[in-house]
Amino acid sequence: MIQFESDQPVAVNIATVEEALAGIKNDRMAGWYDLPVRVNNDEIEKIKTAAAKIRESSECLVCIGIGGSYLGHKAVIDALGDDGDKVKILYAGNNLSSRELEKVFNQIGDADFSVNVISKSGTTLEPALAFRFFKELLKTKYDNKANEHIYVTTDAGHGALYDEATQEKYTKFVIPDNIGGRYSVLTPVGLLPMAVAGIDIDRLLAGAFIEHRTIKEKHLSDLAAVKYACSRAKLLKAGFDVEVLGSFEPSVATFLEWWKQLFGESEGKDHQGIFPAAVIYTTDLHSLGQYMQDGRRNIFETIITFAVGPKSDFVVPRLTQDLDQLNYLADKKLSFINQQTQLATVEAHRAGGIPVFEVNVPDYSVESFGALIYFFELSCALSARLSGVDPFNQPGVEAYKTAMFRLLGKIGY
Ligand code: PA5
């Protein structure tokens, strides 16, 4: 279960939170809200079967998608996946760079591979274009068996990708109509790539279930997501309009990217919202650390901490000649040094005038990541509602698309 801590008093206006929560539950796009209690076992079995087939037939899986269609599963795979796994997960269609595309082609080389193209609308340019390139590669390599290497995750009945998948008889997975991209990590969007990467998706969903259950079990004012959302709203009112999410575990870097997208697209509307940024410590203490400690005072910080960290650990060796003068750390665990540095950073930042929140995760397990995903989804929807914006749309994203399609000569633009 996720815990929230702040050094400031947390003021929860129950009536306002109840109204925000009711607004979320009644929203047409709130399918993610009770997803953990409505797991479709047939679908999970279909995902596991497809994952097993991919693991048997392929050395690489190329996940093609952008935004909510790739960040969530990449976050979990980067945090928990095994680098030495026999199937490499590669990513394409999240940019328009030829150099990046070439890198993925080079990584595949002569290896057997499959693709999972993920797009709810089925029309987003970056993944659609990447899919076209990979289809050509698959045809060259597998000829009339190419389609057997294509897995499509898209809308239940609309869009160019849906039409193509139906015509070409690709294996299809459905993104529920009532779940938007950035809230979709616990649907086939995230579950298929994660299962291929060897992540135990049942345990991930179990973690989300436990976090969802806290809504009923706890009084609203004790609910971690409510405390976090209300604390953010209070700081925004006081002029803190930049939130930096940080962690002392570099493996969660992509998870922070997922969080940035979740909160950025959900809250940044009507010229409002908190700007979401991310740091990985201690690395960024030697870059943004200076600004954090000493720069403009409009920043607050949220640190994700793990009560029990990842399994890997090292003990600092004691040397007879203490030439590097590090014997004061000899026999100590690296995890302990990291933890003390975390305490020191929080202390220094608070003393420097940065409000610091802590999101405490019990351990570095797959269940805890499931819980963390659900915790942030709920906090994000609540935060957006509390600031009076729709958490589930992203009208601003259309502006660049209109200009881009006009410049590229698409008919109708
Ligand atoms: O959260 C969202 O809705 C967006 O970030 C989408 O996930 C992203 O734009 C990709 O859209 P699509 O899955 O339709 O290709």
Side-chain angles (χ1 to χ4, degrees):
M1 196 182 307
I2 306 301
Q3 314 269 3
F4 172 81
E5 272 172 36
S6 165
D7 59 336
Q8 334 244 325
V10 183
V12 176
N13 180 328
I14 294 294
T16 316
V17 171
E18 271 172 350
E19 194 188 327
L21 208 50
I24 292 168
K25 285 196 261 187
N26 293 330
D27 198 291
R28 197 182 63 78
M29 294 307 289
W32 58 273
Y33 178 80
D34 58 2
L35 191 65
V37 285
R38 289 190 291 105
V39 173
N40 176 339
N41 289 323
D42 291 343
E43 182 173 72
I44 297 293
E45 281 317 305
K46 190 179 162 198
I47 289 171
K48 287 182 185 168
T49 306
K53 191 175 157 209
I54 294 170
R55 284 183 70 83
E56 213 175 275
S57 68
S58 306
E59 294 154 87
C60 307
L61 173 70
V62 184
C63 294
I64 301 178
I66 195 164
S69 288
Y70 95 104
L71 279 166
H73 50 92
K74 188 169 190 306
V76 176
I77 293 168
D78 286 356
L80 296 168
D82 172 3
D83 285 341
D85 194 61
K86 75 186 204 36
V87 182
K88 271 202 188 71
I89 310 294
L90 305 174
Y91 298 89
N94 56 64
N95 58 68
L96 292 167
S97 157
S98 303
R99 184 169 155 75
E100 290 303 307
L101 187 61
E102 186 178 52
K103 276 193 207 163
V104 181
F105 286 154
N106 289 341
Q107 280 171 295
I108 297 173
D110 292 330
D112 278 306
F113 75 102
S114 294
V115 307
N116 179 199
V117 53
I118 308 164
S119 175
K120 184 167 183 189
S121 61
T123 53
T124 308
L125 182 66
E126 293 91 333
L129 210 45
F131 186 34
R132 190 178 265 224
F133 286 112
F134 281 97
K135 268 184 297 201
E136 289 299 287
L137 194 65
L138 284 167
K139 268 187 217 141
T140 313
K141 195 170 169 82
Y142 298 110
D143 193 22
N144 62 358
K145 297 247 185 281
N147 289 4
E148 292 174 23
H149 290 256
I150 296 175
Y151 297 80
V152 167
T153 309
T154 191
D155 185 80
H158 298 101
L161 184 58
Y162 171 82
D163 293 341
E164 178 180 338
T166 310
Q167 184 179 311
E168 296 294 318
K169 299 192 171 49
Y170 301 144
T171 305
K172 269 201 304 252
F173 292 91
V174 172
I175 308 177
D177 204 32
N178 58 358
I179 302 183
R182 57 191 174 277
Y183 293 85
S184 69
V185 49
L186 300 176
T187 73
V189 168
L191 297 178
L192 178 60
M194 287 192 251
V196 175
I199 306 280
D200 188 331
I201 57 173
D202 292 326
R203 287 176 55 198
L204 187 85
L205 291 166
F209 174 84
I210 290 168
E211 196 57 29
H212 174 275
R213 207 173 50 190
T214 59
I215 304 174
K216 287 221 172 86
E217 283 175 353
K218 291 201 164 212
H219 190 269
L220 272 187
S221 56
D222 293 328
L223 199 63
V226 168
K227 291 201 274 184
Y228 177 44
C230 292
S231 303
R232 296 175 83 251
K234 186 175 156 198
L235 284 182
L236 180 60
K237 273 201 190 113
F240 291 89
D241 57 6
V242 175
E243 177 177 15
V244 175
L245 184 69
S247 170
F248 282 72
E249 278 306 331
S251 299
V252 306
T254 314
F255 193 89
L256 306 186
E257 291 304 307
W258 170 78
W259 171 88
K260 267 162 62 177
Q261 191 234 350
L262 178 65
F263 278 74
E265 273 196 342
S266 299
E267 281 194 306
K269 285 161 203 170
D270 304 338
H271 298 178
Q272 294 187 59
I274 295 170
F275 184 84
V279 286
I280 285 294
Y281 293 144
T282 64
T283 313
D284 288 329
L285 288 175
H286 299 260
S287 62
L288 291 177
Q290 170 58 38
Y291 193 102
M292 302 278 296
Q293 190 70 45
D294 245 357
R296 285 189 63 203
R297 299 296 74 179
N298 64 333
I299 296 174
F300 67 98
E301 190 172 28
T302 302
I303 311 251
I304 301 179
T305 64
F306 295 92
V308 180
K311 279 199 198 102
S312 345
D313 215 343
F314 292 91
V315 175
V316 178
R318 181 176 296 281
L319 303 182
T320 29
Q321 274 201 307
D322 190 19
L323 293 178
D324 55 10
Q325 299 173 13
L326 288 176
N327 266 358
Y328 76 100
L329 294 174
D331 308 325
K332 294 199 164 59
K333 288 182 177 167
L334 194 52
S335 61
F336 169 80
I337 299 171
N338 201 19
Q339 226 167 41
Q340 298 310 301
T341 310
Q342 184 180 301
L343 294 176
T345 306
V346 171
E347 185 184 308
H349 285 179
R350 281 183 176 150
I354 301 182
V356 184
F357 300 147
E358 284 178 50
V359 169
N360 296 327
V361 186
D363 52 27
Y364 201 85
S365 65
V366 62
E367 286 88 352
S368 287
F369 274 87
L372 199 55
I373 286 168
Y374 192 80
F375 163 80
F376 277 126
E377 286 179 347
L378 181 59
S379 321
C380 178
L382 270 173
S383 287
R385 279 267 171 194
L386 290 176
S387 61
V389 298
D390 181 344
F392 307 125
N393 66 0
Q394 56 283 333
V397 178
E398 294 311 311
Y400 97 88
K401 288 189 187 169
T402 308
M404 172 183 73
F405 286 136
R406 177 174 46 76
L407 291 175
L408 291 173
K410 186 172 177 178
I411 292 168
Y413 288 81

